Amino acid sequence: MAQQGSATPVDFKLIRPKNYFANERTFINWLQLAVTMGGLGLALLNFGGNGIRVRISAFVFETGALALIVYAYTMFWRRANRLQRGERGSWDDQVVPVIVVMFFIFATAINFGLTFHKKAYTPPVDNLSVATMSWGLKQHH
């Protein structure tokens, strides 16, 4: 005969698989954005020319991509630990998405600014650059 007062304790910290999968989906989405940002930086580096301005723009995009990867990895593990501990509370991150959008605007503005500055800027001509530009030309005496 079973005792009526003894019930098995219910663990309210049970974690549903959908929460783990949501955490993984969020991580993968952040990584996709980082790969896109890194791809923009590599495209600038490979097809944008060989000047310092292109390298600066590519560096800005690549640095942002690496920072985004570090952020995604950190947040994935923090949220996974919160899930394992059964913590409740807000899971929203309202600051970093705004920072990412502002970074994209900033990086694009730097790219356009350096591109238009390059077209408007004419470097001064000195004797060395005249000599190096004329090496392949025939000299008329």
Side-chain angles (χ1 to χ4, degrees):
M1 186 184 241
Q3 297 178 356
Q4 291 184 353
S6 67
T8 58
V10 177
D11 186 13
F12 289 105
K13 291 184 180 180
L14 290 177
I15 301 165
R16 295 184 282 185
K18 74 174 191 173
N19 294 336
Y20 276 118
F21 293 135
N23 190 26
E24 288 177 5
R25 276 194 312 272
T26 304
F27 176 64
I28 290 170
N29 286 334
W30 280 116
L31 289 182
Q32 285 176 338
L33 183 61
V35 168
T36 301
M37 192 182 297
L40 286 171
L42 286 176
L44 276 171
L45 197 58
N46 287 325
F47 303 114
N50 56 2
I52 189 68
R53 294 171 179 93
V54 172
R55 290 183 182 167
I56 290 171
S57 296
F59 177 76
V60 169
F61 276 103
E62 294 298 325
T63 304
L66 289 174
L68 202 55
I69 289 171
V70 169
Y71 166 76
Y73 182 77
T74 303
M75 287 307 294
F76 173 76
W77 283 110
R78 282 185 185 172
R79 289 177 177 159
N81 288 335
R82 284 183 66 187
L83 283 170
Q84 284 180 346
R85 289 191 303 264
E87 289 183 19
R88 295 181 185 254
S90 176
W91 295 85
D92 297 337
D93 188 1
Q94 297 175 353
V95 176
V96 174
V98 173
I99 291 173
V100 169
V101 169
M102 295 303 288
F103 181 82
F104 262 115
I105 292 170
F106 172 73
T108 305
I110 285 177
N111 186 25
F112 283 136
L114 291 175
T115 301
F116 291 128
H117 177 70
K118 175 179 154 182
K119 292 183 194 257
Y121 175 71
T122 305
V125 178
D126 58 357
N127 290 336
L128 179 62
S129 61
V130 170
T132 56
M133 288 189 290
S134 63
W135 279 349
L137 302 175
K138 284 186 175 181
Q139 299 290 330
H140 297 287
H141 296 291

